[in-house]
Amino acid sequence: MPRGSAARGPAGPGERGAGERGGAGSRAPGRPARGAGSRGNVPAAAPARPARGGGEAAPAHREVAVRPVTPAPAVRRPAGAEGGAGAVRRYAALDLGTNNCRLLIAEPRGRYFRVVDAFSRIVRLGEGVSLSGVLADAAMDRAIEALKVCRRKLIDRRVDRFRLIATEACRAAANGEAFLARVREEADLELEVVSRETEARLAVAGCASLVDRESDGAILFDIGGGSSELVWLDLRRRGGPVAAARAMRAWTSLPVGVVALADRYGGVTVTPAVFEDMVGEVCRLLEAFSPGAELDAGVAAGRVHFLGTSGTVTTLAGVHLGLTRYDRRRVDGTWLETADLTRMIGEVCAMPYEARVESPCIGRDRADLVIAGCAILEAIRRRWPCRRLRVADRGLREGILTELMAADRGHGAGPGSNHGGARPARPAAGRRETADSAEGAGR
């Protein structure tokens, strides 16, 4: 199975185009019959449920400034992207977060895609990083074992184009490069460490179809494990249909996530006072993000809504719906009113740890993280008291697939990447976005 190839291809709204490289694709023998694991035709951001939460905090510095979005250069289409007559290309997106390792494999179906295979495993790669500054050996072992499963699926499904990304855990840990080297040697995969801006843009690409087109826009947030991204999507100047992914007015990345808060404050027993301490920490970070009076006015008028993509909001939606077993089809796209959110946050925070473990929408893997997620959400609500929240059970993987497929259709919305031979050339060392790319001034 190939490691990620080194072809550069900046793309998408908001991308700086410096230091980031697209993934590579592959063809492997023994392609199985199509349709195994199929979930039918779904919108280009609506496949299998992403796993939730997980991550460590990065140092608090420039990442909380207002981020105007930088236009991206045009996409360079890879040679041979058209494929043979009648060929259906397969695409894959892998997101190694601080808590989860997630893979999605799909085929395009017009403006949508059909999920061919999916994989999700909680690995807690960033567990303890906010305290120690390094990835633990056991956590790296868990992640590499999950990545080996992903590599096998990429081979078995004969994926043509893929992008394999890692996020905050690998950005922040002092031994992140050593871990990437282990992944190359032991899992035979090349991970691309993306910037926080790229994370924000991919979240938009994956969730944009859920923005209420009758509104003036949305505040999209992705509560992760190691960082939490927020984006103001401004639809007021559209003058006709405009892709929400191109409506990014400003963005920020808070250096805080559910695992970091749980590491510092605890996640098993959380008193109301401790919960307020968590909320207060996030509120202080949010003070540095000030998009302006226009957004505040839109929120006050009820013309701007929340769009939440994270395990926190899908958990709250599942509890709100009274699901006895999590059902992505019912959760994705659900609207929650502010009273619903207040009630659900209170209900989850009042649950003893054992009750959270037994909850079908929380479970043991997330029982010690969900209250930290509620604290981050509560801080966001206090800063911008939107009246409605739309729940998105979709995210970075769907955004990657959307951009890759759009690039191959010639729409210039995604990063270029090589594909083809059974074993493309190994990329140049250092697939990490530069500090200038992740935090450059003038955005």
Side-chain angles (χ1 to χ4, degrees):
M1 178 63 208
R3 303 185 179 112
S5 171
R8 285 178 77 107
E15 187 58 40
R16 282 186 62 84
E20 185 170 23
R21 295 168 182 169
S26 67
R27 289 190 177 274
R31 184 169 190 163
R34 296 178 186 252
S38 170
R39 299 175 183 271
N41 291 337
V42 297
R49 176 190 182 193
R52 303 171 180 165
E56 79 299 328
H61 46 67
R62 290 172 291 170
E63 283 304 317
V64 292
V66 177
R67 308 291 192 189
V69 176
T70 306
V75 169
R76 184 175 61 193
R77 292 189 65 162
E82 296 79 14
V88 178
R89 308 189 75 197
R90 281 187 173 169
Y91 298 77
L94 185 147
D95 170 21
L96 179 61
T98 312
N99 200 43
N100 299 280
C101 177
R102 294 170 288 191
L103 174 71
L104 199 61
I105 300 174
E107 296 175 348
R109 289 291 185 271
R111 295 175 53 244
Y112 307 100
F113 60 70
R114 181 179 72 88
V115 175
V116 174
D117 204 350
F119 171 80
S120 178
R121 179 181 295 177
I122 291 179
V123 296
R124 297 213 176 189
L125 176 61
E127 189 172 42
V129 168
S130 65
L131 303 177
S132 68
V134 297
L135 302 172
D137 289 340
M140 291 189 284
D141 291 342
R142 292 192 298 266
I144 288 172
E145 288 306 308
L147 289 169
K148 289 177 180 178
V149 176
C150 294
R151 177 182 182 274
R152 187 72 254 167
K153 287 181 175 289
L154 292 173
I155 293 173
D156 290 345
R157 296 297 187 179
R158 299 193 67 190
V159 171
D160 299 287
R161 287 254 276 146
F162 59 83
R163 192 177 187 188
L164 318 176
I165 70 169
T167 56
E168 187 66 17
C170 293
R171 284 195 299 255
N175 58 344
E177 293 290 352
F179 169 69
L180 297 177
R182 280 193 60 187
V183 171
R184 285 192 292 270
E185 295 306 314
E186 298 178 36
D188 200 25
L189 294 174
E190 186 80 32
L191 298 181
E192 171 193 4
V193 182
V194 297
S195 72
R196 295 181 178 96
E197 181 176 0
T198 297
E199 263 196 272
R201 192 200 72 237
L202 290 173
V204 172
C207 303
S209 62
L210 290 179
V211 176
D212 180 0
R213 298 305 173 133
E214 299 302 316
S215 71
D216 287 344
I219 300 172
L220 181 149
F221 61 84
D222 182 359
I223 300 173
S227 64
S228 297
E229 282 65 48
L230 292 92
V231 181
W232 175 19
L233 297 174
D234 186 0
L235 301 184
R236 293 173 303 159
R237 298 181 177 89
R238 51 190 177 268
V242 171
R246 300 192 181 279
M248 291 176 67
R249 178 76 177 272
W251 71 277
T252 194
S253 180
L254 303 180
V256 66
V258 296
V259 171
L261 283 183
D263 281 345
R264 293 199 296 275
Y265 292 94
V268 175
T269 301
V270 181
T271 66
V274 171
F275 180 78
E276 282 300 318
D277 288 342
M278 291 183 182
V279 175
E281 177 178 331
V282 182
C283 284
R284 288 188 291 275
L285 292 173
L286 283 170
E287 288 174 0
F289 180 53
S290 181
E294 292 176 286
L295 177 57
D296 293 338
V299 171
R303 297 292 302 164
V304 175
H305 66 86
F306 284 133
L307 176 57
T309 168
S310 69
T312 297
V313 294
T314 56
T315 292
L316 294 176
V319 173
H320 171 70
L321 294 170
L323 301 182
T324 57
R325 181 175 181 178
Y326 187 87
D327 184 349
R328 182 200 169 276
R329 293 170 296 180
R330 293 188 61 188
V331 168
D332 186 54
T334 293
W335 286 98
L336 297 178
E337 303 295 325
T338 187
D340 300 328
L341 283 172
T342 300
R343 184 175 65 257
M344 290 303 100
I345 290 173
E347 182 176 329
V348 169
C349 289
M351 287 183 180
Y353 175 73
E354 293 75 14
R356 281 176 265 143
V357 170
E358 294 300 320
S359 170
C361 295
I362 302 175
R364 183 174 302 278
D365 287 333
R366 303 177 180 95
D368 60 338
L369 302 176
V370 65
I371 294 181
C374 288
I376 296 173
L377 173 57
E378 180 61 22
I380 295 171
R381 294 178 67 213
R382 292 182 188 181
R383 175 63 183 84
W384 295 285
C386 293
R387 302 174 190 177
R388 300 183 300 155
L389 180 150
R390 197 166 199 189
V391 179
D393 191 344
R394 54 183 81 184
L396 300 186
R397 296 176 304 167
E398 292 83 357
I400 290 170
L401 291 174
T402 298
E403 290 195 343
L404 288 175
M405 292 177 188
D408 279 359
R409 289 194 300 266
H411 293 176
S417 64
N418 285 347
H419 76 290
R423 195 174 181 84
R426 180 169 174 173
R431 295 178 55 78
R432 177 188 294 273
E433 290 188 323
T434 65
D436 286 342
S437 174
E439 305 171 348
R443 284 187 244 175

